[in-house]
Amino acid sequence: SGNYNITYTNGRLTIYPQSGTGDQHINVFMSATNTLSVRVYTPEPKLADIVVFNMAGQPLAKKNIFMPVGFITHTIDVTKFPAGVYAVLVKGDGVDLRKSIVIVK
């Protein structure tokens, strides 16, 4: 980009949530046509459930997860979900993250 001077070096680039490394964070995206990816960040280990709800409030998918310190990505098969808007909730002891996503088929 014309706004940046980019220098390539060996290593790994880690981009933390805008809020910094002290707060939990969620990002939800379609990583493939029928795969919903839920990427979470936590500064301390946690257990939680990922639950996907339709707009009528019905839970359609649930997955129990372990969240180690840092980032982790979990996937959910949404092959049988019709196109529409969905709410994704990651909830557990000390965890309450929410995001909505549009699934287009």
Side-chain angles (χ1 to χ4, degrees), residues 27-97:
N27 186 22
V28 179
F29 56 96
M30 294 299 294
S31 54
T33 304
N34 292 312
T35 304
L36 174 71
S37 290
V38 181
R39 184 160 173 84
V40 292
Y41 173 84
T42 185
E44 58 188 76
K46 297 286 185 180
L47 291 174
D49 290 320
I50 298 173
V51 185
V52 180
F53 294 91
N54 63 17
M55 288 294 99
Q58 300 166 313
L60 302 178
K62 182 178 179 180
K63 186 174 190 178
N64 183 262
I65 63 168
F66 170 69
M67 298 167 44
V69 173
F71 291 98
I72 191 159
T73 302
H74 291 277
T75 59
I76 297 174
D77 181 7
V78 295
T79 303
K80 296 182 180 181
F81 291 22
V85 179
Y86 294 86
V88 179
L89 174 68
V90 178
K91 188 145 180 83
D93 184 27
V95 181
D96 189 5
L97 302 169

Side-chain angles (χ1 to χ4, degrees), residues 5-26:
N5 292 321
I6 299 173
T7 304
Y8 294 96
T9 60
N10 291 331
R12 174 183 274 181
L13 172 66
T14 301
I15 300 172
Y16 288 104
Q18 190 173 22
S19 60
T21 59
D23 295 326
Q24 296 168 348
H25 181 75
I26 183 175

